Amino acid sequence: MEESECIVCFSQYNEDEHRARCMPCGHTMCSKCLKKTIREVSKMCPKCRQHFTAARLEELPVNFSLEGMIKSSKSLKTQLELAKPCISIFEESCKKAEECKKQSQKIFKEYEEAIIRKENIIAKLQEEIKTQKNARRKMEEKVVVLDEKLSGLKEKRNSYEQAITPLNISESIREVFRWSVEVQNEAEKLISVSQGIENEIDQMMRTIRVKDDHLMENSALSISNEQAGLHVYQDKHTYNSSPAKLKMGNLDKKNQEV
Ligand SMILES: [Zn+2]
Ligand SMILES: [Zn+2]
């Protein structure tokens, strides 16, 4: 510090032979250099060359304020020395903070870039959404048209269904026809069964007829055998000559004979 040194010998001011003293002009010089100057014939300030008349050093006042300032400065220097470790720690912290700051700036930049990319993606997506919305609106319009067509077709179908209802009657007729075919088949079966029965009856009848003929032949034979006796009997009772009555007559005759 420039003010803490003598302007002539550049020695540090102290409270001994280099004590700071003021000249009338206001400038300061050390006591040793002032003693020399006082001894000279022409006494003047080396800084501003103003002459002064002091014969003794004690006539020039001590610069106490400068001394105070120097003391304070020394105290500050001591404090600064004490604070050095703290300062180095602080500097280290500052260095780390600076690195942190750089790192943060880098991350921030990356984030910013990422945000820009995302914003671009969002913009594209929004564009896509817009396109899809338009497409959906068109589809909805088509759906409305199709709905109208569908309702028209439904009406047509209803009318066709109404027209088809009489056709269902023909289906019933077909059903009845099927039934009638079944009934016919059943009837045919019954007819064949009845024919079988009829054949059996015919057979039986033929058998009966044969037996009957046989019986008749036998009866006729017995009648002719008894013919002679009958002539006598006919004279007394007027009987018809039918074979049955003749038979009866024979029986009566037999009864009479018993
Ligand atoms: Zn000096
Ligand atoms: Zn001066």
Side-chain angles (χ1 to χ4, degrees):
M1 156 182 184
E2 207 181 315
E3 290 81 7
S4 66
E5 293 169 355
C6 172
I7 54 173
V8 179
C9 68
F10 301 111
S11 298
Q12 288 280 317
Y13 291 120
N14 56 25
E15 291 182 25
D16 200 18
E17 59 176 349
H18 292 295
R19 193 158 205 187
R21 284 180 187 272
C22 290
M23 289 169 278
C25 64
H27 287 112
T28 302
M29 205 162 44
C30 81
S31 296
K32 198 179 174 180
C33 293
L34 268 174
K35 268 182 191 172
K36 287 179 189 170
T37 308
I38 286 166
R39 268 188 238 120
E40 288 170 4
V41 182
S42 175
K43 304 159 194 172
M44 65 172 187
C45 168
K47 191 111 180 172
C48 65
R49 296 186 178 274
Q50 190 181 317
H51 291 270
F52 62 91
T53 55
R56 294 189 302 119
L57 186 66
E58 288 71 26
E59 284 175 38
L60 298 168
V62 172
N63 192 341
F64 287 110
S65 66
L66 182 63
E67 275 188 0
M69 276 172 71
I70 289 163
K71 276 180 190 171
S72 298
S73 166
K74 276 182 180 168
S75 162
L76 273 172
K77 271 184 184 169
T78 312
Q79 282 179 20
L80 197 68
E81 209 62 39
L82 288 170
K84 260 184 183 171
C86 291
I87 287 166
S88 70
I89 290 166
F90 178 73
E91 278 173 348
E92 192 65 28
S93 298
C94 279
K95 205 174 160 189
K96 281 182 182 171
E98 191 66 28
E99 281 171 17
C100 263
K101 188 183 153 191
K102 277 180 188 170
Q103 193 67 24
S104 297
Q105 278 175 336
K106 195 182 164 193
I107 291 166
F108 184 71
K109 202 180 168 188
E110 282 173 4
Y111 272 122
E112 270 188 337
E113 283 170 2
I115 285 166
I116 287 165
R117 282 200 296 273
K118 297 253 177 191
E119 277 176 345
N120 286 340
I121 290 166
I122 286 165
K124 276 183 190 172
L125 282 172
Q126 279 176 338
E127 195 63 33
E128 262 182 50
I129 286 165
K130 205 177 163 186
T131 310
Q132 287 193 354
K133 272 185 181 174
N134 283 336
R136 200 182 70 175
R137 204 178 304 122
K138 280 179 187 171
M139 287 291 282
E140 279 174 348
E141 284 168 8
K142 277 186 186 174
V143 166
V144 167
V145 171
L146 283 172
D147 262 351
E148 283 170 6
K149 279 188 183 173
L150 186 69
S151 62
L153 283 171
K154 274 183 183 173
E155 278 175 23
K156 272 191 185 175
R157 198 186 68 177
N158 284 339
S159 66
Y160 283 151
E161 275 178 349
Q162 282 170 2
I164 283 164
T165 308
L167 292 175
N168 289 341
I169 292 166
S170 75
E171 183 60 33
S172 302
I173 289 164
R174 230 171 278 135
E175 190 71 19
V176 167
F177 180 73
R178 274 199 291 276
W179 290 344
S180 72
V181 168
E182 279 175 25
V183 168
Q184 202 176 335
N185 288 341
E186 285 294 315
E188 278 171 3
K189 276 182 201 170
L190 284 170
I191 286 164
S192 73
V193 169
S194 74
Q195 273 177 349
I197 291 167
E198 209 173 324
N199 289 341
E200 273 180 41
I201 289 168
D202 279 352
Q203 192 67 35
M204 279 168 73
M205 287 297 283
R206 269 200 294 277
T207 313
I208 288 166
R209 220 173 290 130
V210 168
K211 282 187 178 174
D212 205 24
D213 289 349
H214 216 65
L215 197 71
M216 285 291 276
E217 277 172 25
N218 287 342
S219 302
L221 198 69
S222 67
I223 287 164
S224 61
N225 286 340
E226 289 172 17
Q227 206 78 56
L230 254 174
H231 288 298
V232 180
Y233 187 79
Q234 268 181 332
D235 291 340
K236 288 177 184 174
H237 307 279
T238 48
Y239 270 106
N240 291 327
S241 57
S242 73
K245 278 178 183 174
L246 283 170
K247 248 171 133 180
M248 285 293 280
N250 287 341
L251 278 170
D252 283 344
K253 198 180 171 186
K254 276 178 188 171
N255 285 341
Q256 279 173 355
E257 282 172 355
V258 170

